[in-house]
PDB file of all heavy atoms in Angstrom:
ATOM      1  N   ASN A   1       9.929  -0.368  11.107  1.00  0.00           N
ATOM      2  CA  ASN A   1      11.133  -1.089  11.523  1.00  0.00           C
ATOM      3  C   ASN A   1      12.158  -1.227  10.399  1.00  0.00           C
ATOM      4  O   ASN A   1      13.222  -1.816  10.609  1.00  0.00           O
ATOM      5  CB  ASN A   1      10.754  -2.482  12.036  1.00  0.00           C
ATOM      6  CG  ASN A   1       9.891  -2.418  13.279  1.00  0.00           C
ATOM      7  OD1 ASN A   1      10.159  -1.644  14.194  1.00  0.00           O
ATOM      8  ND2 ASN A   1       8.838  -3.223  13.314  1.00  0.00           N
ATOM      9  N   ALA A   2      11.831  -0.733   9.217  1.00  0.00           N
ATOM     10  CA  ALA A   2      12.759  -0.829   8.094  1.00  0.00           C
ATOM     11  C   ALA A   2      13.958   0.091   8.321  1.00  0.00           C
ATOM     12  O   ALA A   2      13.814   1.187   8.886  1.00  0.00           O
ATOM     13  CB  ALA A   2      12.047  -0.453   6.794  1.00  0.00           C
ATOM     14  N   PRO A   3      15.141  -0.321   7.893  1.00  0.00           N
ATOM     15  CA  PRO A   3      16.356   0.478   8.155  1.00  0.00           C
ATOM     16  C   PRO A   3      16.279   1.896   7.622  1.00  0.00           C
ATOM     17  O   PRO A   3      16.808   2.816   8.242  1.00  0.00           O
ATOM     18  CB  PRO A   3      17.454  -0.324   7.447  1.00  0.00           C
ATOM     19  CG  PRO A   3      16.951  -1.723   7.407  1.00  0.00           C
ATOM     20  CD  PRO A   3      15.474  -1.607   7.243  1.00  0.00           C
ATOM     21  N   TRP A   4      15.651   2.104   6.462  1.00  0.00           N
ATOM     22  CA  TRP A   4      15.582   3.438   5.866  1.00  0.00           C
ATOM     23  C   TRP A   4      14.211   4.083   6.064  1.00  0.00           C
ATOM     24  O   TRP A   4      13.784   4.894   5.248  1.00  0.00           O
ATOM     25  CB  TRP A   4      15.879   3.364   4.363  1.00  0.00           C
ATOM     26  CG  TRP A   4      17.277   2.985   4.039  1.00  0.00           C
ATOM     27  CD1 TRP A   4      18.404   3.691   4.301  1.00  0.00           C
ATOM     28  CD2 TRP A   4      17.698   1.807   3.365  1.00  0.00           C
ATOM     29  NE1 TRP A   4      19.510   3.030   3.835  1.00  0.00           N
ATOM     30  CE2 TRP A   4      19.105   1.860   3.246  1.00  0.00           C
ATOM     31  CE3 TRP A   4      17.029   0.697   2.834  1.00  0.00           C
ATOM     32  CZ2 TRP A   4      19.853   0.859   2.641  1.00  0.00           C
ATOM     33  CZ3 TRP A   4      17.774  -0.305   2.235  1.00  0.00           C
ATOM     34  CH2 TRP A   4      19.160  -0.217   2.148  1.00  0.00           C
ATOM     35  N   TYR A   5      13.509   3.724   7.105  1.00  0.00           N
ATOM     36  CA  TYR A   5      12.144   4.216   7.270  1.00  0.00           C
ATOM     37  C   TYR A   5      12.103   5.742   7.219  1.00  0.00           C
ATOM     38  O   TYR A   5      12.884   6.423   7.888  1.00  0.00           O
ATOM     39  CB  TYR A   5      11.569   3.740   8.598  1.00  0.00           C
ATOM     40  CG  TYR A   5      10.154   4.220   8.839  1.00  0.00           C
ATOM     41  CD1 TYR A   5       9.118   3.821   8.014  1.00  0.00           C
ATOM     42  CD2 TYR A   5       9.870   5.090   9.897  1.00  0.00           C
ATOM     43  CE1 TYR A   5       7.824   4.262   8.217  1.00  0.00           C
ATOM     44  CE2 TYR A   5       8.577   5.523  10.122  1.00  0.00           C
ATOM     45  CZ  TYR A   5       7.558   5.113   9.281  1.00  0.00           C
ATOM     46  OH  TYR A   5       6.274   5.551   9.485  1.00  0.00           O
ATOM     47  N   ARG A   6      11.188   6.258   6.394  1.00  0.00           N
ATOM     48  CA  ARG A   6      11.042   7.702   6.216  1.00  0.00           C
ATOM     49  C   ARG A   6      10.059   8.249   7.245  1.00  0.00           C
ATOM     50  O   ARG A   6       8.841   8.252   7.043  1.00  0.00           O
ATOM     51  CB  ARG A   6      10.545   8.004   4.806  1.00  0.00           C
ATOM     52  CG  ARG A   6      11.595   7.912   3.708  1.00  0.00           C
ATOM     53  CD  ARG A   6      12.404   9.193   3.580  1.00  0.00           C
ATOM     54  NE  ARG A   6      11.562  10.344   3.397  1.00  0.00           N
ATOM     55  CZ  ARG A   6      11.097  10.784   2.219  1.00  0.00           C
ATOM     56  NH1 ARG A   6      11.425  10.127   1.120  1.00  0.00           N
ATOM     57  NH2 ARG A   6      10.339  11.854   2.136  1.00  0.00           N
ATOM     58  N   THR A   7      10.564   8.713   8.366  1.00  0.00           N
ATOM     59  CA  THR A   7       9.674   9.300   9.370  1.00  0.00           C
ATOM     60  C   THR A   7       8.991  10.551   8.830  1.00  0.00           C
ATOM     61  O   THR A   7       7.895  10.913   9.262  1.00  0.00           O
ATOM     62  CB  THR A   7      10.467   9.664  10.640  1.00  0.00           C
ATOM     63  OG1 THR A   7      11.551  10.539  10.287  1.00  0.00           O
ATOM     64  CG2 THR A   7      11.018   8.404  11.289  1.00  0.00           C
ATOM     65  N   ASP A   8       9.659  11.215   7.859  1.00  0.00           N
ATOM     66  CA  ASP A   8       9.100  12.425   7.275  1.00  0.00           C
ATOM     67  C   ASP A   8       8.334  12.130   5.983  1.00  0.00           C
ATOM     68  O   ASP A   8       7.982  13.048   5.239  1.00  0.00           O
ATOM     69  CB  ASP A   8      10.211  13.428   6.965  1.00  0.00           C
ATOM     70  CG  ASP A   8      11.199  12.900   5.914  1.00  0.00           C
ATOM     71  OD1 ASP A   8      11.290  11.653   5.757  1.00  0.00           O
ATOM     72  OD2 ASP A   8      11.862  13.711   5.256  1.00  0.00           O
ATOM     73  N   GLY A   9       8.076  10.851   5.717  1.00  0.00           N
ATOM     74  CA  GLY A   9       7.421  10.486   4.473  1.00  0.00           C
ATOM     75  C   GLY A   9       6.018  11.041   4.358  1.00  0.00           C
ATOM     76  O   GLY A   9       5.263  11.059   5.341  1.00  0.00           O
ATOM     77  N   PRO A  10       5.618  11.512   3.169  1.00  0.00           N
ATOM     78  CA  PRO A  10       4.245  11.990   2.965  1.00  0.00           C
ATOM     79  C   PRO A  10       3.247  10.865   3.202  1.00  0.00           C
ATOM     80  O   PRO A  10       3.531   9.691   2.985  1.00  0.00           O
ATOM     81  CB  PRO A  10       4.240  12.443   1.503  1.00  0.00           C
ATOM     82  CG  PRO A  10       5.676  12.619   1.132  1.00  0.00           C
ATOM     83  CD  PRO A  10       6.436  11.634   1.952  1.00  0.00           C
ATOM     84  N   ASP A  11       2.039  11.223   3.636  1.00  0.00           N
ATOM     85  CA  ASP A  11       1.034  10.219   3.973  1.00  0.00           C
ATOM     86  C   ASP A  11       0.684   9.328   2.786  1.00  0.00           C
ATOM     87  O   ASP A  11       0.462   8.130   2.956  1.00  0.00           O
ATOM     88  CB  ASP A  11      -0.229  10.907   4.499  1.00  0.00           C
ATOM     89  CG  ASP A  11      -0.025  11.516   5.886  1.00  0.00           C
ATOM     90  OD1 ASP A  11       0.949  11.107   6.563  1.00  0.00           O
ATOM     91  OD2 ASP A  11      -0.824  12.381   6.272  1.00  0.00           O
ATOM     92  N   ASP A  12       0.621   9.914   1.574  1.00  0.00           N
ATOM     93  CA  ASP A  12       0.242   9.088   0.427  1.00  0.00           C
ATOM     94  C   ASP A  12       1.297   8.035   0.122  1.00  0.00           C
ATOM     95  O   ASP A  12       0.970   6.911  -0.281  1.00  0.00           O
ATOM     96  CB  ASP A  12      -0.029   9.949  -0.807  1.00  0.00           C
ATOM     97  CG  ASP A  12       1.159  10.810  -1.203  1.00  0.00           C
ATOM     98  OD1 ASP A  12       2.027  11.096  -0.348  1.00  0.00           O
ATOM     99  OD2 ASP A  12       1.221  11.214  -2.395  1.00  0.00           O
ATOM    100  N   LEU A  13       2.573   8.360   0.353  1.00  0.00           N
ATOM    101  CA  LEU A  13       3.620   7.385   0.105  1.00  0.00           C
ATOM    102  C   LEU A  13       3.728   6.380   1.246  1.00  0.00           C
ATOM    103  O   LEU A  13       4.051   5.207   1.018  1.00  0.00           O
ATOM    104  CB  LEU A  13       4.951   8.085  -0.122  1.00  0.00           C
ATOM    105  CG  LEU A  13       5.005   8.995  -1.354  1.00  0.00           C
ATOM    106  CD1 LEU A  13       6.396   9.603  -1.519  1.00  0.00           C
ATOM    107  CD2 LEU A  13       4.610   8.246  -2.619  1.00  0.00           C
ATOM    108  N   LYS A  14       3.446   6.810   2.473  1.00  0.00           N
ATOM    109  CA  LYS A  14       3.412   5.858   3.579  1.00  0.00           C
ATOM    110  C   LYS A  14       2.297   4.828   3.387  1.00  0.00           C
ATOM    111  O   LYS A  14       2.397   3.695   3.858  1.00  0.00           O
ATOM    112  CB  LYS A  14       3.224   6.585   4.907  1.00  0.00           C
ATOM    113  CG  LYS A  14       4.471   7.288   5.413  1.00  0.00           C
ATOM    114  CD  LYS A  14       4.260   7.857   6.810  1.00  0.00           C
ATOM    115  CE  LYS A  14       5.549   8.445   7.362  1.00  0.00           C
ATOM    116  NZ  LYS A  14       5.396   8.966   8.738  1.00  0.00           N
ATOM    117  N   GLY A  15       1.271   5.213   2.674  1.00  0.00           N
ATOM    118  CA  GLY A  15       0.167   4.296   2.423  1.00  0.00           C
ATOM    119  C   GLY A  15       0.227   3.627   1.068  1.00  0.00           C
ATOM    120  O   GLY A  15      -0.743   2.975   0.654  1.00  0.00           O
ATOM    121  N   ALA A  16       1.371   3.725   0.378  1.00  0.00           N
ATOM    122  CA  ALA A  16       1.459   3.224  -0.995  1.00  0.00           C
ATOM    123  C   ALA A  16       1.281   1.710  -1.078  1.00  0.00           C
ATOM    124  O   ALA A  16       0.571   1.197  -1.952  1.00  0.00           O
ATOM    125  CB  ALA A  16       2.796   3.635  -1.614  1.00  0.00           C
ATOM    126  N   VAL A  17       1.952   0.963  -0.202  1.00  0.00           N
ATOM    127  CA  VAL A  17       1.841  -0.500  -0.241  1.00  0.00           C
ATOM    128  C   VAL A  17       0.392  -0.919  -0.043  1.00  0.00           C
ATOM    129  O   VAL A  17      -0.150  -1.743  -0.795  1.00  0.00           O
ATOM    130  CB  VAL A  17       2.755  -1.147   0.818  1.00  0.00           C
ATOM    131  CG1 VAL A  17       2.485  -2.651   0.913  1.00  0.00           C
ATOM    132  CG2 VAL A  17       4.224  -0.900   0.483  1.00  0.00           C
ATOM    133  N   LEU A  18      -0.264  -0.345   0.956  1.00  0.00           N
ATOM    134  CA  LEU A  18      -1.663  -0.704   1.214  1.00  0.00           C
ATOM    135  C   LEU A  18      -2.563  -0.257   0.073  1.00  0.00           C
ATOM    136  O   LEU A  18      -3.538  -0.956  -0.268  1.00  0.00           O
ATOM    137  CB  LEU A  18      -2.126  -0.079   2.527  1.00  0.00           C
ATOM    138  CG  LEU A  18      -1.515  -0.683   3.801  1.00  0.00           C
ATOM    139  CD1 LEU A  18      -2.013   0.057   5.033  1.00  0.00           C
ATOM    140  CD2 LEU A  18      -1.842  -2.166   3.914  1.00  0.00           C
ATOM    141  N   ALA A  19      -2.256   0.879  -0.537  1.00  0.00           N
ATOM    142  CA  ALA A  19      -3.081   1.362  -1.649  1.00  0.00           C
ATOM    143  C   ALA A  19      -3.048   0.375  -2.818  1.00  0.00           C
ATOM    144  O   ALA A  19      -4.082   0.071  -3.427  1.00  0.00           O
ATOM    145  CB  ALA A  19      -2.602   2.741  -2.100  1.00  0.00           C
ATOM    146  N   VAL A  20      -1.859  -0.136  -3.132  1.00  0.00           N
ATOM    147  CA  VAL A  20      -1.742  -1.108  -4.221  1.00  0.00           C
ATOM    148  C   VAL A  20      -2.450  -2.403  -3.856  1.00  0.00           C
ATOM    149  O   VAL A  20      -3.175  -2.994  -4.671  1.00  0.00           O
ATOM    150  CB  VAL A  20      -0.259  -1.366  -4.549  1.00  0.00           C
ATOM    151  CG1 VAL A  20      -0.121  -2.500  -5.550  1.00  0.00           C
ATOM    152  CG2 VAL A  20       0.393  -0.093  -5.093  1.00  0.00           C
ATOM    153  N   TYR A  21      -2.292  -2.844  -2.622  1.00  0.00           N
ATOM    154  CA  TYR A  21      -2.947  -4.086  -2.198  1.00  0.00           C
ATOM    155  C   TYR A  21      -4.464  -3.945  -2.182  1.00  0.00           C
ATOM    156  O   TYR A  21      -5.191  -4.902  -2.509  1.00  0.00           O
ATOM    157  CB  TYR A  21      -2.433  -4.509  -0.826  1.00  0.00           C
ATOM    158  CG  TYR A  21      -1.220  -5.410  -0.894  1.00  0.00           C
ATOM    159  CD1 TYR A  21       0.055  -4.882  -1.079  1.00  0.00           C
ATOM    160  CD2 TYR A  21      -1.352  -6.792  -0.801  1.00  0.00           C
ATOM    161  CE1 TYR A  21       1.161  -5.702  -1.156  1.00  0.00           C
ATOM    162  CE2 TYR A  21      -0.253  -7.619  -0.875  1.00  0.00           C
ATOM    163  CZ  TYR A  21       1.004  -7.071  -1.048  1.00  0.00           C
ATOM    164  OH  TYR A  21       2.105  -7.890  -1.135  1.00  0.00           O
ATOM    165  N   ARG A  22      -4.959  -2.788  -1.822  1.00  0.00           N
ATOM    166  CA  ARG A  22      -6.418  -2.595  -1.836  1.00  0.00           C
ATOM    167  C   ARG A  22      -6.959  -2.680  -3.251  1.00  0.00           C
ATOM    168  O   ARG A  22      -8.032  -3.231  -3.488  1.00  0.00           O
ATOM    169  CB  ARG A  22      -6.769  -1.256  -1.186  1.00  0.00           C
ATOM    170  CG  ARG A  22      -6.576  -1.229   0.325  1.00  0.00           C
ATOM    171  CD  ARG A  22      -7.178   0.026   0.946  1.00  0.00           C
ATOM    172  NE  ARG A  22      -6.946   0.061   2.380  1.00  0.00           N
ATOM    173  CZ  ARG A  22      -6.055   0.840   2.993  1.00  0.00           C
ATOM    174  NH1 ARG A  22      -5.305   1.668   2.252  1.00  0.00           N
ATOM    175  NH2 ARG A  22      -5.905   0.811   4.295  1.00  0.00           N
ATOM    176  N   GLU A  23      -6.220  -2.120  -4.209  1.00  0.00           N
ATOM    177  CA  GLU A  23      -6.655  -2.215  -5.606  1.00  0.00           C
ATOM    178  C   GLU A  23      -6.653  -3.674  -6.070  1.00  0.00           C
ATOM    179  O   GLU A  23      -7.572  -4.116  -6.771  1.00  0.00           O
ATOM    180  CB  GLU A  23      -5.730  -1.383  -6.503  1.00  0.00           C
ATOM    181  CG  GLU A  23      -5.913   0.121  -6.371  1.00  0.00           C
ATOM    182  CD  GLU A  23      -7.262   0.604  -6.875  1.00  0.00           C
ATOM    183  OE1 GLU A  23      -7.881  -0.081  -7.734  1.00  0.00           O
ATOM    184  OE2 GLU A  23      -7.712   1.663  -6.401  1.00  0.00           O
ATOM    185  N   ILE A  24      -5.623  -4.406  -5.677  1.00  0.00           N
ATOM    186  CA  ILE A  24      -5.565  -5.818  -6.057  1.00  0.00           C
ATOM    187  C   ILE A  24      -6.693  -6.592  -5.381  1.00  0.00           C
ATOM    188  O   ILE A  24      -7.330  -7.462  -6.000  1.00  0.00           O
ATOM    189  CB  ILE A  24      -4.189  -6.421  -5.690  1.00  0.00           C
ATOM    190  CG1 ILE A  24      -3.092  -5.768  -6.535  1.00  0.00           C
ATOM    191  CG2 ILE A  24      -4.183  -7.938  -5.878  1.00  0.00           C
ATOM    192  CD1 ILE A  24      -1.682  -6.197  -6.158  1.00  0.00           C
ATOM    193  N   ASP A  25      -6.939  -6.286  -4.123  1.00  0.00           N
ATOM    194  CA  ASP A  25      -8.022  -6.959  -3.394  1.00  0.00           C
ATOM    195  C   ASP A  25      -9.369  -6.732  -4.090  1.00  0.00           C
ATOM    196  O   ASP A  25     -10.168  -7.669  -4.253  1.00  0.00           O
ATOM    197  CB  ASP A  25      -8.074  -6.439  -1.956  1.00  0.00           C
ATOM    198  CG  ASP A  25      -9.093  -7.169  -1.112  1.00  0.00           C
ATOM    199  OD1 ASP A  25      -8.946  -8.384  -0.923  1.00  0.00           O
ATOM    200  OD2 ASP A  25     -10.051  -6.521  -0.649  1.00  0.00           O
ATOM    201  N   ASP A  26      -9.607  -5.507  -4.521  1.00  0.00           N
ATOM    202  CA  ASP A  26     -10.854  -5.204  -5.244  1.00  0.00           C
ATOM    203  C   ASP A  26     -10.910  -5.981  -6.555  1.00  0.00           C
ATOM    204  O   ASP A  26     -11.952  -6.550  -6.906  1.00  0.00           O
ATOM    205  CB  ASP A  26     -10.935  -3.699  -5.515  1.00  0.00           C
ATOM    206  CG  ASP A  26     -12.143  -3.337  -6.369  1.00  0.00           C
ATOM    207  OD1 ASP A  26     -13.270  -3.353  -5.852  1.00  0.00           O
ATOM    208  OD2 ASP A  26     -11.949  -3.063  -7.578  1.00  0.00           O
ATOM    209  N   ALA A  27      -9.788  -6.020  -7.262  1.00  0.00           N
ATOM    210  CA  ALA A  27      -9.756  -6.726  -8.547  1.00  0.00           C
ATOM    211  C   ALA A  27      -9.988  -8.215  -8.355  1.00  0.00           C
ATOM    212  O   ALA A  27     -10.767  -8.844  -9.095  1.00  0.00           O
ATOM    213  CB  ALA A  27      -8.415  -6.480  -9.237  1.00  0.00           C
ATOM    214  N   VAL A  28      -9.328  -8.807  -7.358  1.00  0.00           N
ATOM    215  CA  VAL A  28      -9.488 -10.239  -7.111  1.00  0.00           C
ATOM    216  C   VAL A  28     -10.942 -10.566  -6.762  1.00  0.00           C
ATOM    217  O   VAL A  28     -11.506 -11.557  -7.248  1.00  0.00           O
ATOM    218  CB  VAL A  28      -8.537 -10.692  -5.984  1.00  0.00           C
ATOM    219  CG1 VAL A  28      -8.884 -12.111  -5.514  1.00  0.00           C
ATOM    220  CG2 VAL A  28      -7.091 -10.651  -6.455  1.00  0.00           C
ATOM    221  N   GLY A  29     -11.552  -9.723  -5.949  1.00  0.00           N
ATOM    222  CA  GLY A  29     -12.947  -9.956  -5.585  1.00  0.00           C
ATOM    223  C   GLY A  29     -13.868  -9.952  -6.794  1.00  0.00           C
ATOM    224  O   GLY A  29     -14.748 -10.823  -6.929  1.00  0.00           O
ATOM    225  N   LYS A  30     -13.664  -9.013  -7.688  1.00  0.00           N
ATOM    226  CA  LYS A  30     -14.515  -8.931  -8.876  1.00  0.00           C
ATOM    227  C   LYS A  30     -14.257 -10.095  -9.834  1.00  0.00           C
ATOM    228  O   LYS A  30     -15.180 -10.593 -10.490  1.00  0.00           O
ATOM    229  CB  LYS A  30     -14.315  -7.587  -9.568  1.00  0.00           C
ATOM    230  CG  LYS A  30     -14.955  -6.417  -8.806  1.00  0.00           C
ATOM    231  CD  LYS A  30     -14.796  -5.113  -9.538  1.00  0.00           C
ATOM    232  CE  LYS A  30     -15.662  -4.018  -8.909  1.00  0.00           C
ATOM    233  NZ  LYS A  30     -15.388  -3.843  -7.466  1.00  0.00           N
ATOM    234  N   ILE A  31     -13.019 -10.530  -9.920  1.00  0.00           N
ATOM    235  CA  ILE A  31     -12.695 -11.670 -10.791  1.00  0.00           C
ATOM    236  C   ILE A  31     -13.332 -12.952 -10.251  1.00  0.00           C
ATOM    237  O   ILE A  31     -13.925 -13.742 -11.002  1.00  0.00           O
ATOM    238  CB  ILE A  31     -11.171 -11.820 -10.924  1.00  0.00           C
ATOM    239  CG1 ILE A  31     -10.598 -10.639 -11.722  1.00  0.00           C
ATOM    240  CG2 ILE A  31     -10.808 -13.134 -11.615  1.00  0.00           C
ATOM    241  CD1 ILE A  31      -9.086 -10.532 -11.659  1.00  0.00           C
ATOM    242  N   ILE A  32     -13.237 -13.165  -8.930  1.00  0.00           N
ATOM    243  CA  ILE A  32     -13.853 -14.353  -8.333  1.00  0.00           C
ATOM    244  C   ILE A  32     -15.370 -14.318  -8.511  1.00  0.00           C
ATOM    245  O   ILE A  32     -16.006 -15.340  -8.827  1.00  0.00           O
ATOM    246  CB  ILE A  32     -13.478 -14.448  -6.842  1.00  0.00           C
ATOM    247  CG1 ILE A  32     -11.979 -14.725  -6.701  1.00  0.00           C
ATOM    248  CG2 ILE A  32     -14.294 -15.528  -6.141  1.00  0.00           C
ATOM    249  CD1 ILE A  32     -11.486 -14.717  -5.271  1.00  0.00           C
ATOM    250  N   GLU A  33     -15.944 -13.136  -8.328  1.00  0.00           N
ATOM    251  CA  GLU A  33     -17.392 -12.999  -8.530  1.00  0.00           C
ATOM    252  C   GLU A  33     -17.781 -13.335  -9.963  1.00  0.00           C
ATOM    253  O   GLU A  33     -18.772 -14.030 -10.208  1.00  0.00           O
ATOM    254  CB  GLU A  33     -17.819 -11.573  -8.175  1.00  0.00           C
ATOM    255  CG  GLU A  33     -19.314 -11.328  -8.317  1.00  0.00           C
ATOM    256  CD  GLU A  33     -19.688  -9.890  -7.999  1.00  0.00           C
ATOM    257  OE1 GLU A  33     -18.775  -9.088  -7.691  1.00  0.00           O
ATOM    258  OE2 GLU A  33     -20.882  -9.563  -8.067  1.00  0.00           O
TER     259      GLU A  33
END
């Protein structure tokens, strides 16, 4: 829904936000542990 949404965007870049959040999620889990 973003105004400049890249319909032709590569899959790795379309998943960039989630990729960064997954890394943070893993880091937070290990820190809490």
Side-chain angles (χ1 to χ4, degrees):
N1 296 316
W4 293 295
Y5 180 64
R6 283 276 306 274
T7 56
D8 63 337
D11 289 342
D12 58 337
L13 297 182
K14 284 186 175 182
V17 172
L18 290 178
V20 173
Y21 270 81
R22 288 191 182 105
E23 287 293 335
I24 294 175
D25 185 62
D26 175 74
V28 169
K30 287 182 169 55
I31 292 168
I32 293 175
E33 181 182 1

